[in-house]
């Protein structure tokens, strides 16, 4: 950029999210990480940085291969659909990423192979044998002593004994250098507590060499020199942060981009994967002779009242459901305001509604709408020129400068909740200012000059709030300014928000619909189906999901919305009799059933094998969802689904209590 004859280069800011596993739809926990990263990216852009923001998907590994197999699909076909849903979600949430990397892309896999070859050549990686425990959900290796009661110490899940030929990375060789790096760069790992954990639990006791290849499945990037090995999924995944920029791409333009943005300023994630990012990743980079990221940030978890969100608990919340009903900015605001960054936070519908009602409808929405309504009534909707500023306004003006300092300081420290709290101090002050100055009384008393100053000040407060809100609520901020009649320009820059009086007068306002209408909490909870969460009613979908039924994965989980009777009548339920039942090879949860409907026999695959022996089922009259799209489960076609009631441990088939011919409709 040319500025007064000198070259001014913007400082760069490279920020990344974890690349998510596309084995399922993402939930509000994933949305939290991504929204936090997006808010920081937007803030840095407003502060004049040349920002590069990367997100993507981590598409290899045993877990994904198994999921796809269970759904009777190839891994890529299975993943493609989910990735599409993830991209759509980020679009809806206004995630302003510059690049989305998929680890199945060639631009990634060929570079990972090159990296592996280099490490092999220089002796950092060697061939040996691995014997030990492996946690597939976490894709991590554990030693006997590291296990907790025989389970994965990280996720508590089951571990498998793995014995195979494997390549190993000499992690230990770099451990001292890494410890020194931690010492020299106190800001590298945030928060501080995670650094102690990494040092005490992993680095100081001595780092073992890490197994970095697998041979017992093939869904991964093959080692070029020995293709029966696929590269360990974490080595593959972590590399995305440099492959996406263009490292070793051979394309001079992309290599220049890599040189421009690397090292990353912030790798954002939650605490459970900090270990991979603050130990394995920096060591890989050291071995490749590359600079280390400036910061790894491990934030807390978004929890439900009953703990972590998980499919088996059925407490997973789909962000799409909240966006559909309340809009993306409401969700973004809630996530950033409610959770103190770094700490765990709990999601409840009640706290979500409260934030919407108190902060967004009462405080912000009210300030905007009453200001616009008064302006319309007292000044034909045109923002007047202010006259003399009284002490009330000059105090406000000075206070705004200190609020600007506090907001910036909070943003720099990634204290998003605190920044919003500071911004809301001004929102509330705006409402109080109106109460104190009583523009209606000034109008009545014919105090035109004073009224002009007051009206101007009200809108000046709204302008400043809209600028500060921009990184958090990218839809609402411009919508507020649209209603103010204020186009982007000198009065919408970040720095303009600390200067009271920047708002140009004579703007013609354009009042619109309330930005955040007040909600009737009881009604909302009923609409969302959370007043009485009927476990049994979600059970069939849950059960089918376990079997990988894609058709049911499109439904929100854990929350059941009220539906119209017309929605229910779309489902054709019929009585069917089991004429035969058999197990499916290598699928311990599934049974293949032939069901008679009187005039036809249907084949249905059902995830009930853990609860019913095939012979128990013959002659039972069950209830069939007869108009489901056919799917393939473990390669076996299924033309419908049978209903069952279940809890976490029990499952009982739904049947009919009296004598009724097969094929009868259930309504
Ligand atoms: N694929 C790996 C990451 C590889 S990065 C090189 C992975 N994927 S994941 O799909 O399991 O995503 C984990 C990340 O999602 C967490 O680190 C966090 O950023 C986000 N979250 C998932 N659940 C979350 C909560 N309940 N709360 C907050 N963040 C959560 O691990």
């Amino acid at each position: 950029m040319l500025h007064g004859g000198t070259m001014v280069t913007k400082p760069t800011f490279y920020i990344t999210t974890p690349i998510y596993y596309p084995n399922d739809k993402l939930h509000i926990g994933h949305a939290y990480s991504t929204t936090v990263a997006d808010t920081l990216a937007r803030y840095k852009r407003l502060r004049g940085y040349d920002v590069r923001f990367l997100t993507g998907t981590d598409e290899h590994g045993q877990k994904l291969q198994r999921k796809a197999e269970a759904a009777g699909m190839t891994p890529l076909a299975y993943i493609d659909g989910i990735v599409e849903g993830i991209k759509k979600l980020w679009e809806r949430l206004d995630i302003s990423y510059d690049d989305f990397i998929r680890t199945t892309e060639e631009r990634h896999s060929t570079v990972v192979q090159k990296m592996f070859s280099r490490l092999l050549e220089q002796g950092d990686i060697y061939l040996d044998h691995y014997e030990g425990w492996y946690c597939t959900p976490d894709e991590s290796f554990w030693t006997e002593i590291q296990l907790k009661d025989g389970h994965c110490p990280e996720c508590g899940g089951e571990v498998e004994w793995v014995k195979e030929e494997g390549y190993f990375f000499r992690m230990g060789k770099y451990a001292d250098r890494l410890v020194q790096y931690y010492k020299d760069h106190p800001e590298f790992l945030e928060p501080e507590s995670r650094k102690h954990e990494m040092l005490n639990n992993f680095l100081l006791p001595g780092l073992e060499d890490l197994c970095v290849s697998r041979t017992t499945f093939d869904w991964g990037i093959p080692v070029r020199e020995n293709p029966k090995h696929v590269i360990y999924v974490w080595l593959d995944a972590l590399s995305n942060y440099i492959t996406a920029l263009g490292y070793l791409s051979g394309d001079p333009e992309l290599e220049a981009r890599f040189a421009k943005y690397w090292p990353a300023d912030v790798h954002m994630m939650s605490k459970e994967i900090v270990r991979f990012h603050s130990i394995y990743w920096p060591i890989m980079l050291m071995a490749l002779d590359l600079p280390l990221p400036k910061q790894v940030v491990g934030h807390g978890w978004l929890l439900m009242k009953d703990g972590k969100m998980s499919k088996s608990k059925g407490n997973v919340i789909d962000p799409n459901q909240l966006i559909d009903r309340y809009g993306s900015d409401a969700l973004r605001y809630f996530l950033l305001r409610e959770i103190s960054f770094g700490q765990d936070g709990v999601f409840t519908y009640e706290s979500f509604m409260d934030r919407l009602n108190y902060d967004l409808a009462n405080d912000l929405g009210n300030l905007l709408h009453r200001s616009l309504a008064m302006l319309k009534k007292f000044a034909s909707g045109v923002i007047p020129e202010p006259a003399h500023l009284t002490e009330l306004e000059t105090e406000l003006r000075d206070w705004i400068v200190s609020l600007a300092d506090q907001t910036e300081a909070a943003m720099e420290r990634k204290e998003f909740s605190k920044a919003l709290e500071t911004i809301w101090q001004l929102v509330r002050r705006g409402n109080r200012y109106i109460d104190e100055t009583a523009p209606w009384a000034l109008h009545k008393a014919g105090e035109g000059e004073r009224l002009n100053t007051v009206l101007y000040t009200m809108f000046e407060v709204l302008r400043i709030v809209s600028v500060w809100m921009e990184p958090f609520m990218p839809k609402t901020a411009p919508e507020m300014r649209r209603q103010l009649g204020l186009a982007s320009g000198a009065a919408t820059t970040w720095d303009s928000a600390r200067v009271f009086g920047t708002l140009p007068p004579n703007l013609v306002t354009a009042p619109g619909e309330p930005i955040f209408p007040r909600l009737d909490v009881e009604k909302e909870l009923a609409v969302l189906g959370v007043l009485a969460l009927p476990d049994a009613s979600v059970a069939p979908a849950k059960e089918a999901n376990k079997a990988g039924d894609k058709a049911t994965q499109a439904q929100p989980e854990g929350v059941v919305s009220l539906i119209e009777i017309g929605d229910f009548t779309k489902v054709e339920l019929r009585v069917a009799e089991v004429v035969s039942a058999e197990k499916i090879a290598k699928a311990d949860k599934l049974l293949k059933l032939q069901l008679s409907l009187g005039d036809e026999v249907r084949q249905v695959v059902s995830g009930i094998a853990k609860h019913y022996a095939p012979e128990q089922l013959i002659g039972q009259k069950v209830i069939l969802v007869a108009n489901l799209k056919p799917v393939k489960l473990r390669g076996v076609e299924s033309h419908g689904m049978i209903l069952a009631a279940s809890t976490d441990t029990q499952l009982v088939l739904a049947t009919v209590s009296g004598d009724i011919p097969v094929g009868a409709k259930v309504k």
Side-chain angles (χ1 to χ4, degrees):
M1 191 177 18
L2 272 178
H3 238 301
T6 43
M7 281 288 263
V8 181
T9 351
K10 285 181 174 186
T12 58
F13 186 78
Y14 180 35
I15 179 165
T16 66
T17 72
I19 48 171
Y20 302 104
Y21 291 127
N23 53 353
D24 251 316
K25 293 192 307 173
L26 300 188
H27 56 59
I28 50 169
H30 304 105
Y32 174 67
S33 268
T34 311
T35 303
V36 161
D38 181 67
T39 301
L40 201 49
R42 286 177 182 274
Y43 170 71
K44 288 288 179 183
R45 279 191 207 108
L46 279 173
R47 300 305 312 270
Y49 284 77
D50 173 348
V51 172
R52 184 129 191 119
F53 176 16
L54 174 71
T55 189
T57 38
D58 182 359
E59 308 195 353
H60 291 126
Q62 194 163 11
K63 180 168 58 176
L64 268 157
Q65 185 166 23
R66 285 185 184 164
K67 272 288 237 195
E69 265 171 19
M73 298 169 91
T74 64
L76 205 53
Y78 177 79
I79 291 166
D80 279 348
I82 295 182
V83 171
E84 211 175 289
I86 293 176
K87 285 189 172 169
K88 182 98 205 116
L89 173 62
W90 296 155
E91 190 189 319
R92 298 191 73 198
L93 258 180
D94 291 305
I95 304 303
S96 59
Y97 60 79
D98 297 290
D99 194 1
F100 187 108
I101 183 131
R102 300 182 55 175
T103 54
T104 47
E105 286 175 76
E106 215 205 303
R107 63 168 170 153
H108 174 77
S109 52
T110 50
V111 175
V112 171
Q113 285 180 323
K114 284 188 208 166
M115 287 165 59
F116 196 96
S117 299
R118 173 166 164 193
L119 296 169
L120 197 61
E121 255 166 49
Q122 66 191 34
D124 280 310
I125 289 179
Y126 61 92
L127 189 62
D128 204 332
H129 280 86
Y130 179 77
E131 199 167 337
W133 295 103
Y134 194 75
C135 168
T136 309
D138 280 354
E139 304 280 12
S140 50
F141 297 97
W142 298 105
T143 60
E144 184 74 40
I145 6 167
Q146 285 174 320
L147 298 186
K148 258 198 199 134
D149 304 324
H151 287 84
C152 170
E154 203 82 62
C155 70
E158 294 202 354
V159 285
E160 306 172 43
W161 186 254
V162 176
K163 191 176 172 186
E164 60 193 70
E165 186 184 83
Y167 283 95
F168 284 78
F169 195 124
R170 293 184 207 279
M171 289 279 155
K173 179 175 154 192
Y174 295 93
D176 290 346
R177 256 175 80 186
L178 186 56
V179 172
Q180 191 57 42
Y181 187 81
Y182 278 23
K183 280 194 193 135
D184 296 342
H185 300 85
E187 70 299 332
F188 172 64
L189 187 48
E190 214 179 74
E192 189 76 13
S193 54
R194 312 248 190 275
K195 184 160 42 185
H196 299 305
E197 191 187 321
M198 292 306 123
L199 282 169
N200 298 333
N201 296 359
F202 300 100
L203 279 169
L204 297 176
L207 263 190
E208 295 194 11
D209 290 355
L210 176 73
C211 181
V212 287
S213 75
R214 301 290 311 273
T215 54
T216 49
F217 63 94
D218 59 6
W219 184 238
I221 303 176
V223 172
R224 273 195 304 205
E225 295 74 4
N226 192 353
K228 72 171 193 248
H229 289 256
V230 292
I231 296 171
Y232 176 41
V233 65
W234 270 101
L235 213 73
D236 164 355
L238 289 161
S239 311
N240 91 89
Y241 301 130
I242 53 178
T243 61
L245 286 178
Y247 174 64
L248 292 188
S249 63
D251 176 334
E253 221 171 278
L254 301 185
E255 303 253 359
R257 185 174 67 188
F258 170 71
K260 177 175 178 192
Y261 291 105
W262 190 257
D265 291 85
V266 174
H267 287 316
M268 185 69 74
M269 69 207 66
S270 72
K271 54 191 172 184
E272 80 292 350
I273 59 171
V274 161
R275 179 168 64 98
F276 299 97
H277 285 80
S278 60
I279 298 179
Y280 302 156
W281 180 226
I283 288 181
M284 279 167 70
L285 290 165
M286 281 178 188
L288 292 166
D289 240 341
L290 290 173
L292 307 198
K294 292 183 199 153
Q295 196 168 55
V296 169
V297 179
H299 61 69
W301 282 329
L302 181 56
L303 302 170
M304 299 300 287
K305 268 191 204 150
D306 54 351
K308 260 202 118 175
M309 267 175 275
S310 78
K311 279 198 90 177
S312 56
K313 279 194 201 153
N315 63 357
V316 176
I317 296 194
D318 179 356
N320 281 302
Q321 192 203 24
L322 298 173
I323 299 172
D324 286 345
R325 197 156 174 87
Y326 309 104
S328 52
D329 274 4
L331 177 57
R332 290 176 64 113
Y333 177 81
F334 172 83
L335 293 172
L336 291 155
R337 176 66 185 88
E338 185 74 12
I339 301 160
S340 283
F341 189 71
Q343 320 265 310
D344 289 347
V346 176
F347 176 91
T348 67
Y349 285 98
E350 289 79 358
S351 54
F352 180 73
M353 301 293 161
D354 280 353
R355 286 280 173 211
L356 264 60
N357 270 342
Y358 295 122
D359 301 5
L360 299 183
N362 264 14
D363 294 342
L364 181 67
N366 206 16
L367 178 63
L368 177 66
H369 298 299
R370 68 199 287 223
S371 301
L372 287 165
M374 279 183 244
L375 189 74
K376 192 168 171 204
K377 209 158 159 195
F378 308 143
S380 312
V382 179
I383 298 174
E385 295 228 15
H388 171 70
L389 302 188
T390 68
E391 211 180 308
L392 197 59
E393 286 83 31
T394 51
E395 261 178 22
L396 183 63
R397 182 188 62 194
D398 297 344
W399 185 58
I400 283 170
V401 177
S402 85
L403 285 185
D405 290 339
Q406 288 174 45
T407 306
E408 284 171 13
M411 291 305 278
E412 295 300 333
R413 289 196 298 264
K414 304 182 194 68
E415 292 173 353
F416 303 102
S417 178
K418 202 159 174 193
L420 280 172
E421 202 185 307
T422 309
I423 300 168
W424 252 249
Q425 284 185 39
L426 183 57
V427 174
R428 287 193 204 104
R429 182 71 191 94
N431 275 317
R432 273 204 321 278
Y433 175 82
I434 297 176
D435 299 339
E436 286 164 13
T437 51
W440 50 91
L442 296 173
H443 175 71
K444 207 165 166 193
E447 292 187 40
E449 284 211 343
R450 181 71 193 132
L451 179 62
N452 283 352
T453 305
V454 167
L455 290 173
Y456 179 87
T457 303
M458 284 154 53
F459 283 91
E460 183 55 329
V461 165
L462 281 163
R463 175 189 72 88
I464 293 167
V465 167
S466 86
V467 172
W468 287 343
M469 270 170 49
E470 179 115 31
F472 299 91
M473 302 171 84
K475 280 196 180 80
T476 309
E479 170 57 17
M480 281 172 65
R481 295 199 288 258
R482 193 193 63 75
Q483 298 202 18
L484 262 55
L486 176 63
S488 296
T492 60
T493 63
W494 183 265
D495 287 336
S496 75
R498 49 169 72 235
V499 189
F500 183 95
T502 307
L503 179 73
N506 302 318
L507 294 176
V508 180
T509 57
E513 291 291 302
I515 44 172
F516 292 103
R518 223 191 129 72
L519 304 169
D520 173 340
V521 177
E522 294 274 299
K523 186 179 144 217
E524 292 305 313
L525 294 180
V527 169
L528 291 168
V530 289
L531 269 186
L533 223 178
D535 276 339
S537 70
V538 290
K542 249 170 64 187
E543 203 47 45
N545 272 344
K546 274 190 205 154
D549 181 346
K550 272 215 85 191
T552 57
Q553 277 169 6
Q555 297 166 6
E557 296 158 277
V559 275
V560 183
S561 313
L562 292 186
I563 55 168
E564 302 290 338
I565 183 75
D567 293 324
F568 177 72
T569 51
K570 282 187 203 150
V571 183
E572 189 194 353
L573 298 175
R574 295 175 69 186
V575 176
E577 185 175 333
V578 182
V579 288
S580 77
E582 60 181 281
K583 295 200 157 167
I584 296 178
K586 291 197 209 139
D588 57 357
K589 290 191 188 127
L590 301 183
L591 289 183
K592 182 166 86 177
L593 311 174
Q594 304 298 334
L595 304 175
S596 167
L597 287 166
D599 50 3
E600 70 167 294
V601 174
R602 281 284 185 98
Q603 175 168 298
V604 167
V605 176
S606 181
I608 56 173
K610 290 248 153 100
H611 304 273
Y612 288 91
E615 57 278 13
Q616 260 180 295
L617 293 166
I618 314 294
Q620 290 236 34
K621 280 189 178 157
V622 294
I623 296 174
L624 171 74
V625 181
N627 60 341
L628 264 189
K629 282 191 189 144
V631 285
K632 266 193 179 176
L633 299 173
R634 292 280 170 134
V636 182
E637 282 202 357
S638 179
H639 296 263
M641 175 174 98
I642 58 170
L643 299 187
S646 72
T647 64
D648 273 346
T649 50
Q650 277 179 301
L651 181 141
V652 178
L653 282 177
T655 55
V656 280
S657 57
D659 202 8
I660 186 128
V662 291
K665 289 208 164 158
V666 181
K667 298 190 246 195

